Structure formats: structure tokens, C-alpha cells
């Protein structure tokens, strides 16, 4: 492994604090700076982790020439502006999901990544979860045979989350279920058709003009015989939290457990078998391997809502960090890069547009670098 070190700055220290000790221990990183609007929170985290360089102003932080890359963990409305500002400032970008909130914003980030030659990676947790890595390993070994169909769902009750979540169209936050069904075959969505169903509380509807309790979408994969289906809900739908994907192959199929903490199922032909999903810490440098099972928000009195409901995000955090850093060190594209992140994100954006138009087929833009 190269001994090159990337100087990292993290913006947003709620969920973002989870990543600080991972960067501190990764052999290719220097956890250089943190940014948080509230000085007291900034100092609390900075003192806890011994980080000297602290900023309450994001734009001021970007002026620091020592910073190589910025990892953005701020609220959704800030992602586009902050990603663009970082790229323009000459910094590589890792950004929590989604990439942006409009197709045009996604295109802006793609074009900037091309113009600057800098790396952009959307930090989609599910495609580095132990469940995904397990199915990916099976697929690459040929155990699944030919993939015939993929299905994913993300059902979550968002009552009580920050205000901008209230009334959000379900598909506007769909990357957790879009990600795995595109990442496994390394595919690209060509077009979508989506239907809305049911109705959320009347006081929530005017916020985004979206009435639907559930949105369900079909995706046609480009240059492939594959299609996929995904289901998303955010409000007024009775269901335990579920971030899932199913993969149907010619030899074996994988189905996510229906109830959290129970075992998933492998079907070999018509024979089902419950399976224990192994951890994949062995794929990581030994310094960060423990973070697949333990992190900042584990103790009962110190838990982040995203981490609780996300079941620890499937041990994905150190894998995400490792992918981002090794891509930078080896001067290759991370997965997902800017183009792939835009395709994943815009499936959800355009699926909602389709639902508002009664299921109309909508094609995704070609996000190749122009």
C-alpha cells in the first residue's frame, strides 16, 4: 500500500462525526480539519478527537491550501452548493447522499468534476454494506448465475426528523434502494416509470406538492436485458424500518429478511436456506477494520438517529472511506464517481416526476463527461 496521505476536512459533525476516527486511523489519511456552524459543537468534537483546525465557515475552510479533499455530511439542501464550491476550490469531494436535488444540479457537478480533473464520490452506504458485499461476492464467483431481476425497498418513518424532511416526496431520497440494484451489475438506468399510491397528512402535502405515501418505480437498465423495481415510503405507512434489496439469479437468489435482525434467505433452485451474513472487515486495512462493527454512535446514551434506524449502515463506513482514499492515492475513479452518482440520484428525482404524471416513462440524461 502507498504511504501517501490525503488531508481530509469534514463538514457537518452530526452523522459526520462517525467518520472522524476512521480517517484518523486510515494509513492514507490525515484527519486535518472539521467544520460546523455552531462553535460549541465544533469545539466539543474537536476537543474529543484532538483536531486543531476548526472552522465555523465552510467557505473559509475551503481557502485552506493544505486540504486535499472534503467529506460533506451536511443537510440535503446544502449538498449541491458545497460540492460545487469544494470542486471550484480545487478539493476532491466525498458527499453523503443524495448528490443533489435536481437533474440540473447533478449535471453541474459532473461537468465540474470533468473540468477540474478532481474526484467526486457519493457516499452511498448500502453498496458498501456487508449484505451487498456478500451478494457481490456470490455474483462475482458465479454462484448466482445470470441475474434475472433486482428489487429494492427503503421504508422509513421520518416524523420527527429536521423540518426539510417533512412532506418530502419518497423518491427524492431513493439512493439507498437505487444504489444496490445498479451497483451489482455495474449498470446504468436508462428510463423509469413510477406510480404514487396513498396519501400523507394533508398539512404535509403543500410543502413539496407531493401527496403520495408510497412511490414504486420500475427501472430499465441501459444496454441490458435487466429491469428492476423499487419501493419507497417516508410518512403515514405502517412498516418497520427496512433498507433492502433482493437479487434473483438463474442459479441462486438472495432475499433480504422481512424483519430486522432476522436472517436473510438464499434460494438454490426451489430450496430456501436462511444465511448469516458475514462481516467483510478482512477487505480493509487492519487499522480501520474494527469500524465495521463499532463507531462513535454506539453507546445507548450517544446514538444518532440515522445510525439507529439504519442498523449501523451495514458496517459500510470504513469501506466508503477506504474506497475514496485508495481511489485518490491510486489516481483512479471511485465508485460511484460523479457520472454514476448522478445516474443513481436522478432515478429518484425523475421517478417522482413520473409519479406526478401518472407513470409516464421518463428517460435519464446521458451524464457522460462533456
Amino acid at each position: 500500500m502507498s504511504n501517501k496521505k490525503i488531508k481530509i476536512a469534514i463538514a457537518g459533525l452530526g452523522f459526520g462525526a462517525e467518520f472522524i476516527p476512521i480517517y484518523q486511523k486510515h494509513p492514507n489519511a490525515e484527519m486535518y480539519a472539521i467544520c460546523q456552524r455552531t462553535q460549541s459543537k465544533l469545539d466539543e468534537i474537536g476537543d474529543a478527537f484532538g483536531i486543531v483546525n476548526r472552522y465555523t465557515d465552510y467557505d473559509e475552510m475551503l481557502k485552506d491550501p493544505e486540504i486535499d479533499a472534503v467529506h460533506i455530511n451536511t443537510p440535503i439542501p446544502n449538498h449541491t452548493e458545497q460540492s460545487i464550491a469544494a470542486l471550484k476550490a480545487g478539493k476532491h469531494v466525498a458527499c453523503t447522499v443524495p448528490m443533489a436535488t435536481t437533474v440540473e444540479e447533478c449535471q453541474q457537478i459532473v461537468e465540474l468534476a470533468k473540468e477540474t480533473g478532481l474526484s467526486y464520490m457519493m457516499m452511498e452506504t448500502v453498496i458498501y454494506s456487508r449484505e451487498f458485499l456478500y451478494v457481490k461476492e456470490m455474483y462475482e464467483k458465479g454462484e448466482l448465475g445470470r441475474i434475472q431481476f433486482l428489487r429494492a425497498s427503503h421504508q422509513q418513518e421520518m416524523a420527527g426528523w429536521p423540518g426539510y424532511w417533512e412532506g418530502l416526496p419518497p423518491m427524492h431520497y431513493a439512493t439507498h434502494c437505487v444504489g444496490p440494484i445498479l451497483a451489482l451489475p455495474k449498470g446504468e438506468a436508462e428510463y423509469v416509470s413510477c406510480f404514487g399510491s396513498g396519501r400523507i397528512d394533508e398539512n404535509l402535502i403543500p410543502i413539496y406538492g407531493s401527496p403520495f405515501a408510497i412511490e414504486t418505480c420500475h427501472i430499465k437498465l441501459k444496454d441490458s436485458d435487466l429491469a428492476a423495481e423499487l419501493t419507497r415510503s417516508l410518512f403515514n405507512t405502517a412498516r418497520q424500518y427496512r433498507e433492502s434489496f433482493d437479487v434473483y439469479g438463474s442459479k441462486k437468489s438472495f432475499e433480504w429478511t422481512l424483519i430486522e435482525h432476522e436472517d436473510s434467505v438464499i434460494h438454490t433452485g426451489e430450496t430456501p436456506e436462511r444465511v448469516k451474513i458475514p462481516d467483510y472487515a478482512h477487505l480493509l486495512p487492519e487499522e480501520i477494520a474494527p469500524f465495521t462493527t463499532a463507531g462513535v454512535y454506539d453507546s445507548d446514551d450517544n446514538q444518532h438517529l440515522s445510525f439507529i434506524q439504519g442498523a449501523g449502515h451495514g458496517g459500510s463506513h470504513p469501506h466508503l472511506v477506504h474506497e475514496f482514499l485508495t481511489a485518490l492515492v491510486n489516481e483512479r475513479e471511485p465508485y460511484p464517481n460523479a457520472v454514476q452518482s448522478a445516474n443513481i440520484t436522478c432515478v429518484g428525482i425523475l421517478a417522482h416526476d413520473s409519479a406526478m404524471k401518472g407513470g409516464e416513462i421518463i428517460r435519464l440524461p446521458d451524464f457522460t463527461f462533456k
Side-chain angles (χ1 to χ4, degrees):
M1 179 181 289
S2 168
N3 58 6
K4 181 179 180 181
K5 288 188 179 288
I6 308 296
K7 290 186 177 181
I8 298 289
I10 290 182
L13 302 179
F15 166 56
E18 236 349 280
F19 292 92
I20 292 174
I22 305 175
Y23 282 114
Q24 286 182 320
K25 290 184 179 295
H26 195 287
N28 291 122
E30 179 184 336
M31 185 60 249
Y32 177 80
I34 52 176
C35 181
Q36 173 73 27
R37 285 173 298 184
T38 307
Q39 186 73 51
S40 58
K41 176 72 171 178
L42 179 69
D43 289 336
E44 177 189 346
I45 297 294
D47 291 347
F49 291 102
I51 299 170
V52 175
N53 301 296
R54 308 173 189 180
Y55 295 88
T56 55
D57 187 299
Y58 180 76
D59 292 328
E60 282 300 310
M61 183 180 74
L62 293 182
K63 294 176 184 176
D64 190 330
E66 291 294 313
I67 295 169
D68 297 311
V70 178
H71 185 163
I72 298 167
N73 293 282
T74 54
I76 289 173
N78 302 122
H79 292 182
T80 300
E81 180 184 6
Q82 292 180 338
S83 294
I84 287 172
L87 290 168
K88 286 183 175 179
K91 318 299 185 187
H92 300 288
V93 173
C95 184
T96 189
V97 301
M99 181 186 206
T101 57
T102 69
V103 173
E104 293 73 23
E105 290 170 347
C106 289
Q107 186 66 60
Q108 279 184 274
I109 295 171
V110 168
E111 290 175 356
L112 257 179
K114 173 61 175 176
E115 289 170 15
T116 60
L118 296 164
S119 290
Y120 173 96
M121 177 181 172
M122 184 172 71
M123 303 294 259
E124 173 46 62
T125 54
V126 178
I127 60 177
Y128 287 94
S129 67
R130 58 182 64 92
E131 293 86 357
F132 182 84
L133 295 174
Y134 174 70
V135 177
K136 179 173 178 278
E137 183 179 54
M138 290 180 63
Y139 177 51
E140 290 176 348
K141 287 181 176 178
E143 294 177 15
L144 297 179
R146 184 186 185 89
I147 296 178
Q148 305 287 28
F149 185 67
L150 303 108
R151 174 182 289 125
S153 72
H154 182 186
Q155 295 190 257
Q156 180 174 9
E157 178 55 58
M158 299 299 287
W161 281 66
Y164 66 85
W165 290 100
E166 293 185 344
L168 189 75
M171 283 293 171
H172 275 199
Y173 190 70
T175 68
H176 292 325
C177 49
V178 179
I181 59 181
L182 294 182
L184 186 64
K186 285 291 175 76
E188 180 182 334
E190 182 178 7
Y191 55 83
V192 297
S193 173
C194 182
F195 287 96
S197 182
R199 194 169 182 88
I200 59 176
D201 289 340
E202 295 301 316
N203 63 303
L204 296 177
I205 294 172
I207 300 173
Y208 291 93
S210 174
F212 305 123
I214 292 181
E215 291 178 330
T216 184
C217 170
H218 272 94
I219 303 170
K220 176 65 178 67
L221 274 66
K222 188 176 181 180
D223 301 324
S224 170
D225 56 11
L226 283 174
E229 181 269 329
L230 56 96
T231 300
R232 190 73 178 89
S233 66
L234 290 167
F235 297 96
N236 303 109
T237 303
R239 180 68 172 87
Q240 182 190 34
Y241 181 97
R242 190 174 193 237
E243 228 175 72
S244 75
F245 64 88
D246 303 328
V247 183
Y248 296 92
S250 59
K251 295 180 181 177
K252 292 186 179 183
S253 296
F254 170 85
E255 290 186 330
W256 194 283
T257 178
L258 286 171
I259 300 174
E260 194 74 34
H261 305 305
E262 291 189 355
D263 293 331
S264 295
V265 177
I266 293 289
H267 298 267
T268 304
E270 296 184 22
T271 304
E273 175 189 5
R274 292 200 176 272
V275 292
K276 295 282 185 188
I277 305 295
D279 195 33
Y280 279 81
H282 65 276
L283 300 179
L284 299 166
E286 61 181 16
E287 295 92 337
I288 65 167
F291 291 107
T292 62
T293 54
V296 174
Y297 292 116
D298 288 333
S299 64
D300 289 340
D301 59 350
N302 184 37
Q303 294 200 358
H304 191 270
L305 188 54
S306 171
F307 206 60
I308 298 168
Q309 288 193 335
H313 296 156
S316 61
H317 297 171
H319 292 283
L320 287 163
V321 166
H322 187 56
E323 169 66 9
F324 183 54
L325 291 171
T326 53
L328 295 181
V329 167
N330 296 320
E331 298 183 355
R332 63 168 174 83
E333 287 289 298
Y335 187 87
N337 65 16
V339 170
Q340 293 153 342
S341 300
N343 187 256
I344 291 169
T345 299
C346 288
V347 165
I349 294 169
L350 295 177
H352 175 66
D353 289 352
S354 172
M356 296 298 287
K357 297 174 181 176
E360 178 181 310
I361 289 176
I362 299 180
R363 293 185 173 273
L364 276 85
D366 181 359
F367 285 110
T368 54
F369 290 137
K370 294 179 179 178

